[in-house]
Amino acid sequence: MSEWWRSAVVYQIYVRSFSDSDGDGIGDLGGIRARLPYLRELGVDGIWLTPFYPSPDADHGYDVSDYTDVDPRFGTLEDFDALMAEAHALRLRVIVDIVPNHTSSEHPWFRNALSSPDHPDRARYLFRPGRNGGPPNNWSSAFGGSAWTLDETSGDWYLHFFAPEQPDLDWHAAEVRADFEDVLRFWLDRGVDGFRIDVAQALFKAQDLHDMEEPVPRPRFADWVTAVGQPELHPLYRRWRALADAYPGARMFVGEIVLEDQETIASYVRPDELQLAFNFAFLFAEWGAEALRETIDRTRAALDAVGAPATWVLENHDVPRSATRYGGGEEGRMRARAAALLLYALPGTAFVYQGQELGLEEVELPDELRQDPIFFRTHGERVGRDGCRVPIPWESDGPGLGFTTGRPWLPQPAEWARQSVAAQRDDSASSLSLHRSALRLRSSSDALGSGSFAWIDSPSDTLCFERRGADETIVCAVNLGSASIPLPAGELLLASAGRGGDLPPSAAAWLRRPSDEGAR
């Protein structure tokens, strides 16, 4: 039970797009529950559920109006309890999203805050007087436009790092901190195994509200946002860690910390704070041996220094799918297959996003069907995240490809019929079979679970390393170049492409040696 997260593989479920049990075109808890055997067969250790709480859906669930209930579109608390029980019966851990930076503008706290400047709930939010007839400072929203909206009744402005319907909480307010401890206890009491903390570095804002100059174009990482990452976060997360540690079963936290600097990230995962932090540097690394190796080394050095496991992630609900990022088409799909073997061979915790195991690519949607607030707030300049959120194809026919009996909330491409779970399940060469085989080998190998890590000399446009266990050594070789290379010595266990003595371009392979042989 202890520290299970150090080598776990966690599968992210974007709830509204995974599986729909009632035909309304939106995924739900009942749909997830029906697909748990699939996840057990896939071989993951746990699931992470995106928000399923009551929400007006200004940002598809990341605008929460009640932190201790289930949105009726997704089910009921009883459905959640049944999902938890069945997941645990199948030995699957369950992590839920917590969204502490902001609430929905429909949350009772914010409605009270707008009702009167004297209402006590006003202190839960960041209302400030304007400056020179405009907002209090020059902060911009991650979704485009100003991060401030005028409350015309009082003349003050309120802060929202995201959409205006997502007002930021003031974490310097003691009542906010106390209420969120109650929220954590509510879900811990229901048996959840951990929490993913949304925008975990942003809760406390610099109290001087100093101006920040946003780089153009806006970077992927938030290292430039000097008003967040405040020192107050660390005692908060130590308190949360102590709260969760009081429960049996080794509960955990993973922070969404969108920074490039690995040393800063490491400060959040010291032994008495969060257990894990997402590795966005690895996710955003270019397809190339030098970039990937440098990111792997920086990550491991920073996190080893504080005794924390690294995390490895290639996709999530906010970024284009890896097959598309890596070039798209046949080349992109080949690279995504190779990247999967790299992901699962690295030491630490792996996160996989729904549909990643199917090799799905980003979907290009017509503007009239887009729903992401980023698209609307930037007037189409940024297309947003809808393309990676299209519902999963389970079957090879039917209007919803097995996702729903109704009309999916976002349309699925017709060609996804050939990439459905049904189409891939019995195809030994499919992406799904590759992921299943890799996860089966990972779970049965002490070398891949807790073995040591060391690079092996290889050509400059390749990555080659070993994971050494007590009885065996697993070698992972990735060819990021343009010509085939000889496979390292050893028994070939799994390859993303090619079956001879060579490793083709855009391919990866795992090989096994007895541990007493060492690298050759």
Side-chain angles (χ1 to χ4, degrees):
M1 295 286 288
S2 178
E3 299 193 333
W4 56 271
W5 56 83
R6 284 186 171 270
S7 60
V9 177
V10 179
Y11 186 97
Q12 181 191 354
I13 292 176
Y14 190 68
V15 175
R16 64 188 299 118
S17 294
F18 187 64
S19 186
D20 171 25
S21 67
D22 60 11
D24 66 355
I26 298 174
D28 50 40
L29 299 182
I32 297 169
R33 184 178 169 192
R35 303 294 185 181
L36 290 176
Y38 165 81
L39 297 170
R40 180 71 274 169
E41 179 188 8
L42 180 61
V44 299
D45 301 297
I47 57 177
W48 151 31
L49 305 179
T50 57
F52 48 81
Y53 316 111
S55 167
D57 253 5
D59 187 22
H60 292 150
Y62 283 92
D63 50 317
V64 179
S65 57
D66 184 344
Y67 288 91
T68 57
D69 204 352
V70 174
D71 193 298
R73 289 169 294 184
F74 300 137
T76 64
L77 279 172
E78 290 72 23
D79 292 327
F80 178 84
D81 292 340
L83 170 60
M84 286 292 306
E86 291 195 26
H88 284 166
L90 290 170
R91 304 186 309 282
L92 290 169
R93 308 274 184 169
V94 180
I95 298 167
V96 300
D97 235 308
I98 188 76
V99 187
N101 178 70
H102 49 264
T103 69
S104 164
S105 57
E106 295 300 313
H107 195 289
W109 297 341
F110 193 70
R111 291 205 303 267
N112 290 340
L114 290 181
S115 69
S116 168
D118 299 323
H119 196 287
D121 282 346
R122 187 126 170 149
R124 296 177 183 272
Y125 296 90
L126 286 149
F127 283 86
R128 297 292 185 270
R131 180 180 67 180
N132 300 325
N137 60 28
N138 71 344
W139 293 358
S140 60
S141 162
F143 288 176
S146 174
W148 297 92
T149 288
L150 178 66
D151 170 25
E152 295 185 0
T153 302
S154 67
D156 285 340
W157 300 71
Y158 71 85
L159 179 68
H160 51 88
F161 265 15
F162 297 92
E165 297 86 357
Q166 296 168 284
D168 280 29
L169 289 161
D170 185 352
W171 275 83
H172 291 101
E175 56 268 38
V176 170
R177 301 193 298 273
D179 283 332
F180 269 87
E181 288 187 15
D182 290 341
V183 170
L184 295 177
R185 290 190 187 95
F186 179 89
W187 295 108
L188 289 166
D189 288 343
R190 300 192 99 86
V192 302
D193 299 288
F195 299 91
R196 178 262 191 185
I197 308 171
D198 192 54
V199 287
Q201 84 270 23
L203 274 58
F204 290 90
K205 312 302 189 295
Q207 291 183 288
D208 64 359
L209 300 183
H210 62 265
D211 281 353
M212 298 183 291
E213 293 305 320
E214 178 179 331
V216 179
R218 189 181 179 95
R220 291 166 166 169
F221 300 100
D223 300 69
W224 64 274
V225 186
T226 56
V228 302
Q230 299 299 296
E232 299 94 316
L233 278 167
H234 299 288
L236 174 74
Y237 288 146
R238 283 194 289 271
R239 185 172 177 90
W240 283 16
R241 175 70 178 266
L243 186 158
D245 282 351
Y247 283 79
R251 319 297 176 95
M252 57 79 76
F253 294 96
V254 54
E256 183 199 26
I257 302 172
V258 191
L259 300 176
E260 189 171 21
D261 182 70
Q262 296 293 324
E263 288 71 26
T264 302
I265 291 172
S267 72
Y268 289 92
V269 290
R270 290 175 290 200
D272 60 345
E273 295 190 43
L274 309 180
Q275 286 91 341
L276 301 173
F278 285 113
N279 189 346
F280 287 92
F282 182 74
L283 187 155
F284 290 131
E286 298 295 328
W287 179 259
E290 182 178 357
L292 286 166
R293 180 166 181 158
E294 191 268 340
T295 300
I296 291 167
D297 283 343
R298 277 195 301 126
T299 299
R300 296 189 63 250
L303 297 184
D304 283 354
V306 295
T311 67
W312 311 105
V313 56
L314 295 170
E315 295 188 18
N316 65 32
H317 65 292
D318 287 332
V319 300
R321 289 197 176 269
S322 56
T324 301
R325 291 201 324 275
Y326 291 150
E330 183 60 28
E331 181 178 65
R333 289 191 292 271
M334 287 280 292
R335 290 174 173 179
R337 287 170 61 92
L341 294 192
L342 172 63
L343 175 81
Y344 294 137
L346 288 167
T349 310
F351 287 84
V352 59
Y353 178 50
Q354 63 180 44
Q356 185 177 339
E357 77 277 18
L358 302 178
L360 300 181
E361 292 186 63
E362 190 80 355
V363 178
E364 284 294 329
L365 294 162
D367 289 353
E368 62 269 20
L369 294 179
R370 292 194 178 275
Q371 299 193 32
D372 192 335
I374 291 176
F375 175 77
F376 299 104
R377 283 186 57 80
T378 63
H379 305 290
E381 182 179 330
R382 292 160 57 192
V383 297
R385 303 157 294 177
D386 294 317
C388 66
R389 298 176 174 187
V390 174
I392 297 302
W394 294 93
E395 303 295 339
S396 299
D397 52 24
L401 297 179
F403 164 72
T404 180
T405 57
R407 181 179 180 180
W409 72 281
L410 287 174
Q412 301 152 306
E415 59 268 24
W416 273 16
R418 297 189 298 273
Q419 291 181 269
S420 68
V421 172
Q424 295 196 40
R425 189 187 297 276
D426 298 323
D427 179 0
S428 61
S430 71
S431 177
L432 176 57
S433 292
L434 179 72
H435 280 256
R436 277 195 315 223
S437 297
L439 289 170
R440 183 171 60 251
L441 288 168
R442 178 181 166 117
S443 67
S444 63
S445 169
D446 73 311
L448 290 173
S450 58
S452 62
F453 174 96
W455 291 109
I456 298 172
D457 288 340
S458 64
S460 60
D461 51 3
T462 67
L463 297 174
C464 193
F465 59 87
E466 67 173 22
R467 300 289 310 282
R468 183 184 291 263
D471 301 319
E472 67 176 9
T473 294
I474 302 296
V475 174
C476 176
V478 188
N479 184 358
L480 298 103
S482 58
S484 294
I485 61 169
L487 282 168
E491 173 195 358
L492 181 62
L493 296 176
L494 190 61
S496 66
R499 283 291 172 180
D502 288 343
L503 187 64
S506 300
W510 290 358
L511 304 102
R512 178 165 54 201
R513 306 168 175 160
S515 276
D516 57 7
E517 284 190 19
R520 294 191 298 182

